[in-house]
Amino acid sequence: INVTCPAGVSSLDYNYVSSVYPNPFTAKFSIEFLDADMITLYNVIGDEIKTISVRPGQTKAEINAVDLRDGIYFYCILKEGIVIETRKIVKN
């Protein structure tokens, strides 16, 4: 069996790592990241909840989530319109 990567599909960069704390959170949480343009927060069914623009050189964002219901959410870190990382967070 020969396996080849189709043309036009970029390889994933597994060296990109963000951290979020506290997780679970109650009113707000912080995300530390290496390089991003935008952070988008989604609920468990995929509805976009919040979008945060990131300034050049910024490596940390604090997100106020007091208005969110308790539950599971996902945040995506984007760079140049491409999702670099998606992670799960929980609100209690």
Side-chain angles (χ1 to χ4, degrees):
I1 297 175
N2 289 332
V3 178
T4 59
C5 184
V9 177
S10 60
S11 62
L12 296 174
D13 181 5
Y14 290 104
N15 293 327
Y16 192 91
V17 178
S18 67
S19 62
V20 62
Y21 55 88
N23 191 12
F25 66 95
T26 54
K28 62 184 175 179
F29 60 95
S30 297
I31 301 174
E32 291 185 0
F33 45 87
L34 298 175
D35 191 17
D37 294 332
M38 189 180 329
I39 299 170
T40 306
L41 185 65
Y42 296 93
N43 65 15
V44 74
I45 61 171
D47 295 330
E48 186 176 310
I49 304 298
K50 292 183 184 256
T51 299
I52 297 96
S53 294
V54 178
R55 295 181 317 272
Q58 183 178 351
T59 60
K60 182 178 178 181
E62 186 172 278
I63 298 166
N64 183 348
V66 71
D67 57 328
L68 299 180
R69 292 180 167 185
D70 290 357
I72 297 171
Y73 295 88
F74 297 91
Y75 71 87
C76 293
I77 296 179
L78 291 93
K79 177 68 177 172
E80 297 175 1
I82 297 171
V83 175
I84 296 182
E85 185 172 53
T86 302
R87 290 232 165 142
K88 178 177 75 170
I89 54 175
V90 179
K91 181 175 183 189
N92 285 355

CSV table of all heavy atoms in Angstrom, one decimal, residues 14-45:
chain,number,residue,atom,x,y,z
A,14,TYR,N,2.1,20.7,14.3
A,14,TYR,CA,1.7,20.3,15.6
A,14,TYR,C,2.6,21.0,16.7
A,14,TYR,O,2.4,20.7,17.9
A,14,TYR,CB,1.9,18.8,15.7
A,14,TYR,CG,0.8,18.0,15.0
A,14,TYR,CD1,1.1,17.5,13.7
A,14,TYR,CD2,-0.5,18.0,15.4
A,14,TYR,CE1,0.2,16.8,13.0
A,14,TYR,CE2,-1.4,17.3,14.7
A,14,TYR,CZ,-1.1,16.7,13.5
A,14,TYR,OH,-2.1,16.1,12.8
A,15,ASN,N,3.5,21.9,16.3
A,15,ASN,CA,4.3,22.6,17.3
A,15,ASN,C,3.5,23.8,17.9
A,15,ASN,O,4.0,24.3,18.9
A,15,ASN,CB,5.6,23.1,16.7
A,15,ASN,CG,6.5,21.9,16.3
A,15,ASN,OD1,6.5,20.9,16.9
A,15,ASN,ND2,7.2,22.1,15.2
A,16,TYR,N,2.4,24.2,17.3
A,16,TYR,CA,1.6,25.3,17.9
A,16,TYR,C,0.9,24.8,19.1
A,16,TYR,O,0.1,23.9,19.1
A,16,TYR,CB,0.7,25.8,16.8
A,16,TYR,CG,0.1,27.1,17.2
A,16,TYR,CD1,0.7,28.3,16.8
A,16,TYR,CD2,-1.0,27.2,18.0
A,16,TYR,CE1,0.2,29.5,17.2
A,16,TYR,CE2,-1.5,28.4,18.4
A,16,TYR,CZ,-0.9,29.6,18.0
A,16,TYR,OH,-1.4,30.8,18.4
A,17,VAL,N,1.0,25.5,20.2
A,17,VAL,CA,0.4,25.2,21.4
A,17,VAL,C,-0.1,26.4,22.1
A,17,VAL,O,0.6,27.4,22.2
A,17,VAL,CB,1.3,24.4,22.4
A,17,VAL,CG1,0.6,24.1,23.7
A,17,VAL,CG2,1.8,23.1,21.7
A,18,SER,N,-1.4,26.4,22.5
A,18,SER,CA,-1.9,27.5,23.3
A,18,SER,C,-2.2,26.9,24.7
A,18,SER,O,-2.3,25.7,24.9
A,18,SER,CB,-3.2,28.1,22.7
A,18,SER,OG,-4.2,27.1,22.7
A,19,SER,N,-2.4,27.8,25.6
A,19,SER,CA,-2.9,27.4,27.0
A,19,SER,C,-4.0,28.3,27.4
A,19,SER,O,-4.0,29.5,27.1
A,19,SER,CB,-1.7,27.4,28.0
A,19,SER,OG,-1.2,28.7,28.1
A,20,VAL,N,-4.9,27.7,28.1
A,20,VAL,CA,-6.1,28.4,28.6
A,20,VAL,C,-6.2,28.1,30.1
A,20,VAL,O,-6.0,27.0,30.5
A,20,VAL,CB,-7.4,28.0,27.8
A,20,VAL,CG1,-7.7,26.6,28.0
A,20,VAL,CG2,-8.5,28.9,28.2
A,21,TYR,N,-6.5,29.2,30.8
A,21,TYR,CA,-6.7,29.0,32.3
A,21,TYR,C,-7.6,30.1,32.8
A,21,TYR,O,-7.7,31.2,32.2
A,21,TYR,CB,-5.4,29.1,33.0
A,21,TYR,CG,-4.5,30.3,32.7
A,21,TYR,CD1,-4.7,31.5,33.5
A,21,TYR,CD2,-3.7,30.3,31.6
A,21,TYR,CE1,-4.0,32.6,33.2
A,21,TYR,CE2,-2.9,31.5,31.3
A,21,TYR,CZ,-3.1,32.6,32.1
A,21,TYR,OH,-2.4,33.7,31.8
A,22,PRO,N,-8.3,29.8,33.9
A,22,PRO,CA,-8.6,28.5,34.4
A,22,PRO,C,-9.5,27.7,33.5
A,22,PRO,O,-10.3,28.3,32.8
A,22,PRO,CB,-9.3,28.8,35.8
A,22,PRO,CG,-10.0,30.1,35.6
A,22,PRO,CD,-9.1,30.9,34.6
A,23,ASN,N,-9.5,26.4,33.6
A,23,ASN,CA,-10.3,25.6,32.9
A,23,ASN,C,-10.7,24.4,33.7
A,23,ASN,O,-9.8,23.6,34.0
A,23,ASN,CB,-9.7,25.1,31.6
A,23,ASN,CG,-10.6,24.4,30.6
A,23,ASN,OD1,-11.8,24.5,30.8
A,23,ASN,ND2,-10.1,23.8,29.6
A,24,PRO,N,-11.9,24.3,34.3
A,24,PRO,CA,-13.1,25.1,34.0
A,24,PRO,C,-13.0,26.6,34.6
A,24,PRO,O,-12.2,26.8,35.5
A,24,PRO,CB,-14.2,24.4,34.6
A,24,PRO,CG,-13.6,23.4,35.6
A,24,PRO,CD,-12.2,23.2,35.2
A,25,PHE,N,-13.8,27.5,34.0
A,25,PHE,CA,-13.8,28.9,34.4
A,25,PHE,C,-15.2,29.2,34.8
A,25,PHE,O,-16.2,28.5,34.6
A,25,PHE,CB,-13.3,29.8,33.2
A,25,PHE,CG,-14.3,29.8,32.0
A,25,PHE,CD1,-15.2,30.8,31.9
A,25,PHE,CD2,-14.2,28.8,31.1
A,25,PHE,CE1,-16.1,30.8,30.8
A,25,PHE,CE2,-15.1,28.8,30.0
A,25,PHE,CZ,-16.0,29.8,29.9
A,26,THR,N,-15.3,30.4,35.5
A,26,THR,CA,-16.6,30.9,35.9
A,26,THR,C,-17.1,32.1,35.2
A,26,THR,O,-18.1,32.2,34.6
A,26,THR,CB,-16.7,31.1,37.4
A,26,THR,OG1,-15.6,32.0,37.8
A,26,THR,CG2,-16.6,29.8,38.2
A,27,ALA,N,-16.3,33.2,35.3
A,27,ALA,CA,-16.6,34.5,34.7
A,27,ALA,C,-15.7,34.9,33.5
A,27,ALA,O,-16.2,35.5,32.6
A,27,ALA,CB,-16.7,35.6,35.7
A,28,LYS,N,-14.5,34.6,33.6
A,28,LYS,CA,-13.5,34.9,32.5
A,28,LYS,C,-12.4,33.9,32.5
A,28,LYS,O,-12.2,33.1,33.4
A,28,LYS,CB,-13.0,36.3,32.8
A,28,LYS,CG,-12.2,36.5,34.0
A,28,LYS,CD,-11.7,37.9,34.2
A,28,LYS,CE,-11.1,38.1,35.6
A,28,LYS,NZ,-10.6,39.4,35.8
A,29,PHE,N,-11.7,33.9,31.3
A,29,PHE,CA,-10.6,33.0,31.2
A,29,PHE,C,-9.5,33.7,30.3
A,29,PHE,O,-9.8,34.7,29.6
A,29,PHE,CB,-11.0,31.7,30.6
A,29,PHE,CG,-11.6,31.7,29.2
A,29,PHE,CD1,-10.8,31.6,28.1
A,29,PHE,CD2,-13.0,31.9,29.1
A,29,PHE,CE1,-11.4,31.6,26.8
A,29,PHE,CE2,-13.6,32.0,27.8
A,29,PHE,CZ,-12.8,31.9,26.7
A,30,SER,N,-8.3,33.2,30.4
A,30,SER,CA,-7.2,33.8,29.6
A,30,SER,C,-6.7,32.7,28.7
A,30,SER,O,-6.6,31.5,29.0
A,30,SER,CB,-6.1,34.2,30.6
A,30,SER,OG,-6.5,35.3,31.4
A,31,ILE,N,-6.3,33.2,27.5
A,31,ILE,CA,-5.6,32.3,26.5
A,31,ILE,C,-4.3,32.9,26.2
A,31,ILE,O,-4.2,34.1,25.9
A,31,ILE,CB,-6.4,32.2,25.2
A,31,ILE,CG1,-7.8,31.7,25.5
A,31,ILE,CG2,-5.7,31.3,24.2
A,31,ILE,CD1,-8.8,31.7,24.3
A,32,GLU,N,-3.2,32.1,26.3
A,32,GLU,CA,-1.9,32.5,25.9
A,32,GLU,C,-1.6,31.7,24.6
A,32,GLU,O,-1.9,30.5,24.5
A,32,GLU,CB,-0.9,32.1,26.9
A,32,GLU,CG,-1.0,33.0,28.2
A,32,GLU,CD,0.1,32.8,29.2
A,32,GLU,OE1,1.0,31.9,29.0
A,32,GLU,OE2,0.0,33.4,30.2
A,33,PHE,N,-1.0,32.4,23.6
A,33,PHE,CA,-0.8,31.8,22.3
A,33,PHE,C,0.5,32.4,21.7
A,33,PHE,O,1.1,33.3,22.2
A,33,PHE,CB,-2.0,32.1,21.4
A,33,PHE,CG,-2.4,33.5,21.5
A,33,PHE,CD1,-1.9,34.5,20.7
A,33,PHE,CD2,-3.4,33.9,22.3
A,33,PHE,CE1,-2.3,35.8,20.7
A,33,PHE,CE2,-3.9,35.2,22.4
A,33,PHE,CZ,-3.3,36.2,21.6
A,34,LEU,N,1.0,31.7,20.7
A,34,LEU,CA,2.2,32.2,20.0
A,34,LEU,C,2.0,33.2,19.0
A,34,LEU,O,2.7,34.3,19.0
A,34,LEU,CB,2.9,30.9,19.4
A,34,LEU,CG,3.3,29.8,20.4
A,34,LEU,CD1,3.9,28.7,19.6
A,34,LEU,CD2,4.3,30.4,21.4
A,35,ASP,N,1.1,33.0,18.0
A,35,ASP,CA,0.9,33.9,16.9
A,35,ASP,C,-0.5,33.7,16.4
A,35,ASP,O,-0.9,32.6,16.0
A,35,ASP,CB,1.9,33.6,15.8
A,35,ASP,CG,2.0,34.7,14.8
A,35,ASP,OD1,1.5,35.8,15.0
A,35,ASP,OD2,2.5,34.4,13.7
A,36,ALA,N,-1.3,34.8,16.4
A,36,ALA,CA,-2.7,34.7,16.0
A,36,ALA,C,-3.2,36.0,15.5
A,36,ALA,O,-2.6,37.1,15.8
A,36,ALA,CB,-3.5,34.2,17.1
A,37,ASP,N,-4.2,36.0,14.7
A,37,ASP,CA,-4.9,37.2,14.2
A,37,ASP,C,-6.2,37.3,14.9
A,37,ASP,O,-6.7,38.4,15.1
A,37,ASP,CB,-5.2,37.1,12.7
A,37,ASP,CG,-3.9,37.1,11.8
A,37,ASP,OD1,-2.9,37.7,12.3
A,37,ASP,OD2,-4.0,36.5,10.7
A,38,MET,N,-6.8,36.2,15.2
A,38,MET,CA,-8.2,36.2,15.8
A,38,MET,C,-8.4,35.0,16.6
A,38,MET,O,-7.8,33.9,16.4
A,38,MET,CB,-9.2,36.2,14.6
A,38,MET,CG,-10.6,36.4,15.0
A,38,MET,SD,-11.8,36.4,13.6
A,38,MET,CE,-10.8,37.1,12.3
A,39,ILE,N,-9.3,35.1,17.6
A,39,ILE,CA,-9.7,34.0,18.5
A,39,ILE,C,-11.3,34.0,18.4
A,39,ILE,O,-11.9,35.0,18.6
A,39,ILE,CB,-9.3,34.1,19.9
A,39,ILE,CG1,-7.8,34.2,20.0
A,39,ILE,CG2,-9.9,33.0,20.8
A,39,ILE,CD1,-7.2,34.5,21.4
A,40,THR,N,-11.8,32.8,18.1
A,40,THR,CA,-13.3,32.7,18.0
A,40,THR,C,-13.7,31.6,18.9
A,40,THR,O,-13.1,30.6,19.1
A,40,THR,CB,-13.7,32.3,16.5
A,40,THR,OG1,-13.1,33.2,15.6
A,40,THR,CG2,-15.2,32.3,16.4
A,41,LEU,N,-14.8,32.0,19.6
A,41,LEU,CA,-15.4,31.1,20.6
A,41,LEU,C,-16.7,30.5,20.1
A,41,LEU,O,-17.5,31.3,19.6
A,41,LEU,CB,-15.7,31.9,21.9
A,41,LEU,CG,-16.2,31.1,23.1
A,41,LEU,CD1,-15.1,30.1,23.6
A,41,LEU,CD2,-16.5,32.1,24.3
A,42,TYR,N,-16.9,29.2,20.2
A,42,TYR,CA,-18.1,28.5,19.7
A,42,TYR,C,-18.7,27.7,20.8
A,42,TYR,O,-18.0,27.2,21.7
A,42,TYR,CB,-17.7,27.5,18.6
A,42,TYR,CG,-17.1,28.1,17.3
A,42,TYR,CD1,-15.8,28.3,17.2
A,42,TYR,CD2,-18.0,28.6,16.3
A,42,TYR,CE1,-15.2,28.9,16.1
A,42,TYR,CE2,-17.4,29.2,15.2
A,42,TYR,CZ,-16.1,29.3,15.1
A,42,TYR,OH,-15.6,29.9,13.9
A,43,ASN,N,-20.1,27.5,20.7
A,43,ASN,CA,-20.7,26.7,21.6
A,43,ASN,C,-20.6,25.2,21.1
A,43,ASN,O,-20.1,25.0,20.0
A,43,ASN,CB,-22.2,27.1,21.9
A,43,ASN,CG,-23.1,27.0,20.7
A,43,ASN,OD1,-22.7,26.4,19.7
A,43,ASN,ND2,-24.2,27.7,20.8
A,44,VAL,N,-21.2,24.3,21.9
A,44,VAL,CA,-21.0,22.9,21.5
A,44,VAL,C,-21.7,22.5,20.2
A,44,VAL,O,-21.3,21.5,19.6
A,44,VAL,CB,-21.5,22.0,22.7
A,44,VAL,CG1,-23.0,22.0,22.9
A,44,VAL,CG2,-20.9,20.6,22.6
A,45,ILE,N,-22.7,23.2,19.8
A,45,ILE,CA,-23.3,22.9,18.5
A,45,ILE,C,-22.8,23.7,17.3
A,45,ILE,O,-23.3,23.6,16.2
A,45,ILE,CB,-24.9,23.1,18.6
A,45,ILE,CG1,-25.3,24.5,18.9
A,45,ILE,CG2,-25.5,22.1,19.6
A,45,ILE,CD1,-26.8,24.8,18.8
